[in-house]
Amino acid sequence: MQRIPACSSTLRLYAFVVAAASLTLPGSGGAQSVVLSLGSLDAGVLRIDDLRLVLANLRGGPADLSLARLTAAGQVWRNLSARCERIDLTREGLACERGEIRLPAADAQAKALVIPLRFNWRSATGAFDLALEPSAGETWRVAGVQAAGGRTARLVFDHADFGRLRPLLPLAKDWQFGGRVSGEAIVERAPRDTTVKANLTLDETRFADAAGAHAGEKIAATLKLDARQQGSRWSWQAAVNWPKGDVYWAPFFLASPGVALTASGTFDGKQAAIGAMRIEGPSLGQIDASGIFDIAAGKITTASFATGMLDLQQLAPGFIAPLLESLAGPKLAWTGQARVAGEIRDNAFQSANVTLRQVALREAGGHYALEGIDADIPWRDDATTEAQVNIVRATLGKLPIGPIALPLRLRGQALRLSQAKIPLLDGEIVLDDVRFTRGSERSNWRAAIAVTPVSMEKLTEALGWPRMSGIFSASIPGIHQDGSTIALDGALVVQVFDGFASVTDLKLIEPFGRVPRLFADVELRNLDLEMLTRTFSFGTITGRIDGDLKGLEVAGTRPLRFDARIESSPGDYRKRISQRAVQNISALGGAGAAAAIQRSVLRVFEEFSYGKLGMTCALRDGICEMGGVEPAPNGYVMVKGAGVPAISVIGYNRRVDWEELLARLRRVTEGNMKPVVK
Amino acid sequence: MSILIRRIATVLALSLPLAAVAQGNLEINTPAITSLKGAMQSRHGQLAPYYASGAVGIARDGSIVLRDANAIPLAQRQTATGLVAAENNDRAALYREIARANGHPEWEAEVRSTFGQRWADKAQPGWFVQNAAGQWSQK
């Protein structure tokens, strides 16, 4: 076996052919066919078996080269052949102006691949020039010269489809890629170093992994590379310009981003270092990064990155929205600027700094919005840091909240806010001891919240609700979220209508899901009925009322079940009910209820006194099982008369559809139910 | 005889979870379930071409999977990814709701696997369905 050392095997192969020919047949002339069996050739990365050259004539003419097997980069090709229509074989060298390489097809149906080639080799200088033209207008050309100082190889591509290299790259076997490359690369090998200079233009480039999660199409780009090898260490500088083409890198889609990248670094087989990398583009802003990658361990040893001021309006549709969408998160519109910097060690974040300036985000459905967010958030994995987040204005539905100033204390995966007072109309929301911990599977937080007195008039006006008087205040000693459930520790106490409402066992499941579910028990105590009825245009009832809502379960905005009871509060106070309120309560009781009213009395007086009033409703499967303060023959008492003039209202409808009851309430409170007095 | 009894006992024991769900009502309707089904129904029109092209397949576990994104034009892949995430989110909520509405939140896994089978049975010819071994086949 003829063994030739690795490196420049093509060059040595031809040298060997010419040498063999001239040594075996010295001076032989005339037309004489020669068959040279050249055996095998092993150049490390390239191995050729059973190489044969058939020359029609030693001075020139047609030549056929065949090889039984070619092994390169782990791939094997069998029965390759090359033919030259006219080979010029002289002592000065070897030239083939018109030849072709024939690659057998992968299967019997397909045609063999024939690639036209030109080849020229000068024995004196060792210069060679090989050009392959696999298709019209496509050229792959390799030229080499040998000088005293070393060797230079020049690769010139003209619309070369680099997808043809795929079989040579075993690492890329799961990827489809292709495209046209034009330009040149020059490799200079000197005794002390090797340099590579490449200037390439890519066009119509496409790539895709097997799943299609990473793919690009119609990409145009330019690549400039300067690299130098000294010993086993390469140092390099590169500039990439990507003006055109689409890339999908799940979950991000970039359409013609106009990105420019410059980078420099080193590579020694064990580790790759990027000393300075800058990425710039209109949709990306500016990002600087550096780092060291441990190739054997497959991890980032150290890395750092910093962005310039990024325009979120530009960045959000391409980068933030798809991330939220892939998590089925909310649709948000972003404006403002952000800057992010971070440090990574051993594949884990060590520190990060986030700066936000005049950021605004609005939920697409208009449910909430935050405006004027300014934040400076430094974070260290191993130290406590102080962060400040200021929000000029938050809007929850129609309710304006703020300005909000949040002094945060961060450490590792935990966040703490000792106290924040947030203006809410003429009162305040006070957040106390807020703690958030991000877990590997789910996150949780807890807090204490209080709302200091807010005028109900202002609150209801802001929410677009019926105007109520009085004050609203609330105290939540503890609230926590674990996974998708928010739960209350203790009671939520709300002062309302001069009485109070207390909510216990409050649980909110998937508060941001499609159908949030709420569970609670509610107690109403000593509510001023005059305030309440005036607010809802129900007529006028003077007195006080208690209520209980046990086992309340709500899906979205619709109650699924509860046991409700309202009844006059115990105690001694004035109890009067207006003519209109009597009509309205009887309307709630259903068609039959009105019959119980003593009409003659109702016609005479504007208002009446009562002993007690109340209703019960047990809601199951959309049906309200109704009752009153006490039973009546065939019905229940809703208003029990006492004093002068007295009036009682009796209800006879025991089972009322919940929707029907709501419709009745709406009609009554919208004033459509006018009292009709005969 | 004793072997026969033991076998019957084993079969009974194995079929218990399914029997439990069978006793439950998979067609139960609550506002949450109606809302989820409505959202899934309106999304179906957008997903149907992806089922037909094989880009999206019906997974065994009651979810859907973007199994061959290469079948989707590049510019639509982001939208398709979002649709699949939203659909799976709604499906997970649906299984949870049905189990809850039956008064047995612990049935969620069985509801999910029963629905997995149901979606596979209802898949149209040409759609890709995952079998118990995790392999995809075209119906």
Side-chain angles (χ1 to χ4, degrees):
Chain A
M1 182 194 290
Q2 178 68 38
R3 192 169 276 277
I4 293 174
C7 80
S8 191
S9 51
T10 314
L11 194 72
R12 283 171 188 267
L13 167 66
Y14 278 91
F16 175 72
V17 169
V18 173
S22 50
L23 280 174
T24 35
L25 297 161
S28 59
Q32 189 172 9
S33 170
V34 178
V35 179
L36 295 173
S37 288
L38 302 168
S40 294
L41 186 150
D42 193 345
V45 292
L46 179 84
R47 183 188 160 88
I48 293 170
D49 290 312
D50 195 8
L51 179 65
R52 279 164 193 270
L53 179 67
V54 181
L55 295 169
N57 188 317
L58 269 182
R59 293 200 183 282
D64 286 286
L65 182 80
S66 68
L67 47 99
R69 197 165 71 157
L70 170 74
T71 313
Q75 299 282 315
V76 179
W77 290 267
R78 291 176 195 280
N79 303 323
L80 308 181
S81 61
R83 180 177 172 80
C84 190
E85 287 302 317
R86 209 186 99 77
I87 196 162
D88 291 321
L89 195 57
T90 60
R91 285 185 186 278
E92 282 74 43
L94 184 151
C96 171
E97 267 310 302
R98 212 174 62 188
E100 61 188 31
I101 296 175
R102 182 174 288 265
L103 301 168
D107 58 79
Q109 276 84 40
K111 280 166 107 181
L113 182 64
V114 178
I115 303 171
L117 73 85
R118 281 175 286 132
F119 183 76
N120 195 330
W121 174 69
R122 298 292 95 193
S123 60
T125 59
F128 72 93
D129 190 344
L130 167 70
L132 302 172
E133 291 167 356
S135 67
E138 177 184 5
T139 310
W140 298 69
R141 192 167 164 205
V142 188
V145 287
Q146 198 149 14
R151 290 192 303 276
T152 301
R154 184 162 167 261
L155 294 91
V156 182
F157 310 102
D158 185 9
H159 292 91
D161 180 359
F162 56 89
R164 298 183 195 281
L165 298 175
R166 195 171 157 254
L168 299 173
L169 303 168
L171 280 176
K173 70 179 190 310
D174 293 332
W175 291 78
Q176 296 287 336
F177 60 85
R180 301 284 172 181
V181 57
S182 299
E184 66 172 13
I186 295 168
V187 183
E188 286 182 344
R189 299 200 69 161
R192 290 175 179 275
D193 63 2
T194 300
T195 59
V196 177
K197 282 182 197 294
N199 225 325
L200 304 171
T201 303
L202 306 177
D203 204 9
E204 288 295 314
T205 301
R206 64 195 183 278
F207 67 88
D209 66 0
H214 309 98
E217 279 174 5
K218 296 177 185 152
I219 296 168
T222 58
L223 166 71
K224 196 169 182 296
L225 174 74
D226 281 312
R228 186 174 179 206
Q229 184 192 27
Q230 284 178 302
S232 62
R233 187 170 183 269
W234 284 87
S235 53
W236 56 270
Q237 280 183 309
V240 178
N241 219 319
W242 168 26
K244 226 171 74 179
D246 299 342
V247 167
Y248 176 69
W249 201 271
F252 308 114
F253 176 68
L254 294 171
S256 296
V259 168
L261 177 150
T262 53
S264 63
T266 59
F267 172 79
D268 67 2
K270 289 180 189 150
Q271 68 174 29
I274 295 175
M277 177 167 78
R278 171 166 287 191
I279 304 171
E280 280 178 294
S283 62
L284 280 174
Q286 179 190 309
I287 302 166
D288 287 294
S290 63
I292 297 171
F293 185 75
D294 184 331
I295 294 164
K299 67 172 185 183
I300 297 170
T301 311
T302 60
S304 64
F305 68 91
T307 70
M309 267 299 179
L310 304 171
D311 182 347
L312 291 179
Q313 198 168 1
Q314 286 268 359
L315 197 72
F319 294 94
I320 303 173
L323 264 183
L324 287 173
E325 203 174 332
S326 67
L327 302 167
K331 282 188 167 53
L332 303 172
W334 298 76
T335 57
Q337 294 188 309
R339 182 164 49 211
V340 184
E343 287 178 330
I344 297 164
R345 193 177 306 145
D346 295 334
N347 273 6
F349 266 98
Q350 293 300 297
S351 71
N353 281 284
V354 177
T355 307
L356 302 179
R357 290 288 174 264
Q358 287 304 305
V359 171
L361 60 94
R362 289 174 193 83
E363 198 262 340
H367 295 107
Y368 55 89
L370 298 172
E371 289 164 84
I373 308 172
D374 279 317
D376 290 290
I377 307 169
W379 173 82
R380 306 281 171 273
D381 184 49
D382 57 354
T384 303
T385 54
E386 308 278 341
Q388 183 69 34
V389 178
N390 295 322
I391 303 165
V392 172
R393 184 184 150 99
T395 318
L396 190 63
K398 292 176 183 167
L399 188 67
I401 302 167
I404 304 170
L406 304 172
L408 305 172
R409 178 167 288 195
L410 313 174
R411 188 180 174 100
Q413 302 297 307
L415 174 153
R416 195 173 165 194
L417 167 71
S418 24
Q419 196 182 59
K421 293 184 173 177
I422 301 163
L424 172 69
L425 303 172
D426 55 347
E428 272 184 342
I429 300 170
V430 182
L431 300 178
D432 259 315
D433 198 18
V434 181
R435 290 160 189 257
F436 170 85
T437 312
R438 201 177 78 112
S440 56
E441 284 185 11
R442 55 190 194 177
S443 304
N444 63 73
W445 60 264
R446 58 172 50 252
I449 305 173
V451 180
T452 63
V454 175
S455 144
M456 281 298 278
E457 276 184 340
K458 287 184 191 286
L459 186 64
T460 50
E461 191 189 335
L463 291 169
W465 289 358
R467 197 181 179 88
M468 299 183 199
S469 53
I471 55 160
F472 172 88
S473 67
S475 164
I476 306 169
I479 182 168
H480 69 271
Q481 176 165 8
D482 192 4
S484 62
T485 302
I486 294 180
L488 212 67
D489 311 319
L492 159 66
V493 181
V494 180
Q495 288 187 19
V496 61
F497 296 117
D498 199 35
F500 70 90
S502 155
V503 183
T504 50
D505 291 329
L506 178 73
K507 207 160 71 172
L508 201 53
I509 299 172
E510 289 163 12
F512 303 109
R514 189 174 295 283
V515 186
R517 290 170 82 92
L518 180 142
F519 299 83
D521 287 327
V522 183
E523 268 184 21
L524 305 166
R525 290 295 176 266
N526 221 28
L527 266 54
D528 185 331
L529 264 175
E530 198 174 338
M531 271 188 195
L532 187 73
T533 49
R534 205 182 318 128
T535 302
F536 292 104
S537 316
F538 194 82
T540 308
I541 307 175
T542 313
R544 301 230 158 226
I545 200 157
D546 290 352
D548 288 296
L549 202 54
K550 299 276 182 211
L552 172 66
E553 185 182 342
V554 181
T557 54
R558 190 190 156 109
L560 298 183
R561 59 178 290 151
F562 58 72
D563 291 296
R565 179 195 68 87
I566 50 169
E567 195 173 325
S568 295
S569 310
D572 194 17
Y573 48 84
R574 192 164 180 264
K575 293 172 185 166
R576 308 289 286 179
I577 181 163
S578 74
Q579 198 185 73
R580 186 174 166 204
V582 168
Q583 281 291 70
N584 287 340
I585 290 182
S586 55
L588 285 184
I597 303 168
Q598 296 110 336
R599 287 204 174 90
S600 56
V601 180
L602 189 62
R603 192 172 49 187
V604 176
F605 297 98
E606 274 295 309
E607 59 172 39
F608 309 89
S609 70
Y610 66 90
K612 61 178 172 179
L613 57 79
M615 287 170 89
T616 63
C617 163
L619 181 71
R620 301 285 184 279
D621 300 326
I623 302 290
C624 181
E625 189 79 36
M626 292 184 72
V629 285
E630 59 184 55
N634 301 319
Y636 48 92
V637 178
M638 291 195 283
V639 180
K640 187 175 186 185
V644 179
I647 194 159
S648 292
V649 180
I650 317 277
Y652 294 104
N653 281 5
R654 281 276 180 203
R655 290 166 61 81
V656 182
D657 186 88
W658 174 251
E659 291 297 330
E660 170 58 24
L661 192 63
L662 280 186
R664 284 180 197 171
L665 249 178
R666 265 197 299 276
R667 280 200 296 272
V668 165
T669 54
E670 284 166 6
N672 295 333
M673 178 65 87
K674 302 285 185 221
V676 179
V677 181
K678 291 178 182 168
Chain B
M1 190 64 185
S2 65
I3 293 171
L4 183 66
I5 291 169
R6 212 179 301 150
R7 277 192 186 157
I8 290 170
T10 312
V11 167
L12 280 177
L14 285 173
S15 61
L16 263 181
L18 270 178
V21 175
Q23 281 165 14
N25 180 6
L26 289 179
E27 306 305 329
I28 197 164
N29 249 332
T30 68
I33 290 168
T34 308
S35 163
L36 288 164
K37 283 184 173 170
M40 289 163 67
Q41 191 69 41
S42 64
R43 192 182 299 112
H44 181 76
Q46 292 169 276
L47 280 168
Y50 300 133
Y51 291 132
S53 70
V56 174
I58 314 288
R60 192 71 188 169
D61 67 355
S63 68
I64 60 171
V65 171
L66 190 61
R67 50 174 293 280
D68 181 15
N70 279 320
I72 303 171
L74 208 60
Q76 290 175 23
R77 277 183 212 178
Q78 198 177 58
T79 312
T81 310
L83 281 172
V84 169
E87 176 72 9
N88 283 334
N89 206 41
D90 281 354
R91 286 187 175 201
L94 178 72
Y95 307 144
R96 207 158 46 228
E97 276 304 317
I98 291 175
R100 261 190 219 146
N102 276 285
H104 287 276
E106 72 281 5
W107 284 359
E108 190 186 326
E110 283 105 70
V111 172
R112 174 178 272 276
S113 83
T114 308
F115 265 85
Q117 186 59 52
R118 185 183 275 200
W119 298 123
D121 293 343
K122 281 168 81 175
Q124 290 176 16
W127 292 12
F128 278 80
V129 175
Q130 196 180 31
N131 67 17
Q135 288 152 342
W136 292 98
S137 62
Q138 201 167 11
K139 204 169 163 184

